[in-house]
Amino acid sequence: MHIPENYLSPQTCAVMYAAAAPAWVISARRIRAELPKEKIPMMGVAAAFSFLGMMFNVPLPGGTTGHAVGGTLIAMLLGPYASCIAVSVALLLQALLFGDGGILSFGANCFNMAFVLPFAGYFFTTMIVKLLDKKQHSDWRQASLRCRLIGGAIGSYIGINAAAFCAAVEFGIQPMLFRDSAGNALYCPYGLNISIPAMMVGHLTIFGLAEVLFTVLIYAFVAKAAPDMSVAPAAEKKTKSNRAVQILLAVLIVATPIGLLAEGTAWGEWGTDEIAATGAGYTPAGMKGGFEWKALLPDYSFEGLPDAAGYILSAVIGVALLIIFFKLLSGLGKKAKTA
């Protein structure tokens, strides 16, 4: 679902940045006003969950791949506004350092995965929990774990499919709006009749299931082993919770090479050298001479290292940078309050 560079026109990218900007501003303000300062470092851990989840590629028959995002998971733990910022920072790190997703299309990727996904997922999660909660608690997080897991499963499934649909529309309108004098598409060459089925088939099936499992399994673990990670009241000692989260992150990092087993490339994420062979029959002019960002570690790889080792090392670097960033951010917040 990471839209690469030059699949969307510069005009579309500008519009998507404009659409994502209010979500970032409002989310930052709501976090500052509502999220306890001591929970800010937990956004780094949550962003790490999303970052790692997106490294676990899942294959779909036909050669394409997809992955979980974890936006609804983070929204369940820290709220949708925290999820918006956490996933956005994870996406920015992927684009800048690993070349996963474009810089110009960053606004579109954030709109889809950091805004539509967590807010839609959170809305339906809370709605389902309230319907299932027989005791009718004032706060859905006080409902039974079973109710929360069922709500999270349904909400995360709807959330990722809503995000995939938005990406499909963004892809599909390109050949309608931007063509050269010969009638060829300048950017993504696949219309809505192709982009919507291609994106939705995978997300309504395998990729949606991956999002559900990722959300339910990690939320269940955190709810029992590290309850103080969420905005809900802590039920166990913080030191024990920290250790449990550290172990979980370590296990996920070591397991990331599983994502390498999925052959093929996610639909709509082909390079310019591959686009002509995917059914378009040509490489759109806007993709040939478009903007290109030279990532330091493209495709989560290190020259001279086996793919699996490079993947693990990339995971370690990504997780460390995300945790450090939000830790520093929490420190700045404390200094500002003191001043």
Side-chain angles (χ1 to χ4, degrees):
M1 205 188 302
H2 290 71
I3 300 176
E5 220 69 86
N6 305 313
Y7 268 75
L8 306 182
S9 70
Q11 297 93 319
T12 305
C13 291
V15 169
M16 297 312 299
Y17 264 103
W24 291 327
V25 172
I26 293 171
S27 293
R29 289 177 178 173
R30 293 291 293 268
I31 290 169
R32 186 175 182 180
E34 300 174 4
L35 192 67
K37 291 291 190 296
E38 61 271 17
K39 298 296 183 184
I40 299 297
M42 291 297 99
M43 289 178 62
V45 176
F49 283 149
S50 179
F51 176 82
L52 293 172
M54 289 187 275
M55 291 184 72
F56 284 93
N57 293 311
V58 180
L60 186 72
T64 189
T65 63
H67 53 73
V69 176
T72 303
L73 166 68
I74 302 174
M76 292 173 69
L77 293 172
L78 298 171
Y81 299 102
S83 182
C84 179
I85 299 300
V87 176
S88 292
V89 174
L91 290 170
L92 182 61
L93 177 66
Q94 288 179 317
L96 290 174
L97 190 58
F98 302 103
D100 196 1
I103 302 299
L104 294 181
S105 57
F106 174 69
N109 286 327
C110 286
F111 180 84
N112 302 334
M113 289 185 276
F115 172 63
V116 172
L117 194 162
F119 279 91
Y122 185 79
F123 174 81
F124 284 100
T125 295
T126 56
M127 184 178 70
I128 297 299
V129 172
K130 289 176 181 178
L131 289 174
L132 295 175
D133 181 20
K134 295 180 180 180
K135 296 182 179 180
Q136 295 297 305
H137 293 99
S138 58
D139 188 336
W140 70 272
R141 287 167 298 219
Q142 296 175 335
S144 69
L145 179 58
R146 177 176 173 274
C147 289
R148 283 178 281 152
L149 292 178
I150 293 174
I154 296 173
S156 61
Y157 180 80
I158 294 174
I160 196 168
N161 277 286
F165 181 78
C166 289
V169 171
E170 292 152 16
F171 279 129
I173 63 174
Q174 299 307 302
M176 297 169 55
L177 300 176
F178 307 99
R179 291 184 173 274
D180 60 21
S181 57
N184 293 324
L186 287 171
Y187 303 99
C188 177
Y190 308 107
L192 293 170
N193 62 320
I194 296 177
S195 65
I196 291 178
M199 286 292 291
M200 298 314 298
V201 166
H203 287 87
L204 286 169
T205 54
I206 304 298
F207 309 148
L209 178 60
E211 182 77 5
V212 169
L213 290 175
F214 188 76
T215 301
V216 168
L217 293 177
I218 293 185
Y219 185 83
F221 177 88
V222 171
K224 292 185 177 181
D228 61 331
M229 179 180 171
S230 71
V231 293
E236 299 186 24
K237 293 182 179 180
K238 188 175 181 180
T239 53
K240 183 177 179 181
S241 295
N242 285 344
R243 192 177 305 114
V245 170
Q246 290 166 2
I247 292 172
L248 176 58
L249 285 174
V251 170
L252 290 173
I253 288 170
V254 173
T256 52
I258 293 175
L260 293 169
L261 298 177
E263 297 182 358
T265 304
W267 192 92
E269 296 185 21
W270 305 288
T272 53
D273 56 335
E274 302 173 287
I275 193 75
T278 60
Y282 64 97
T283 301
M287 299 181 73
K288 285 181 180 178
F291 174 79
E292 185 178 355
W293 173 261
K294 296 291 185 182
L296 182 63
L297 302 172
D299 300 323
Y300 307 96
S301 61
F302 284 78
E303 188 174 353
L305 282 181
D307 290 344
Y311 224 58
I312 291 175
L313 187 54
S314 295
V316 171
I317 292 172
V319 168
L321 289 175
L322 290 168
I323 291 176
I324 290 170
F325 173 81
F326 282 101
K327 183 69 175 177
L328 292 174
L329 193 64
S330 68
L332 291 174
K334 291 177 182 177
K335 290 180 181 179
K337 187 176 181 180
T338 303

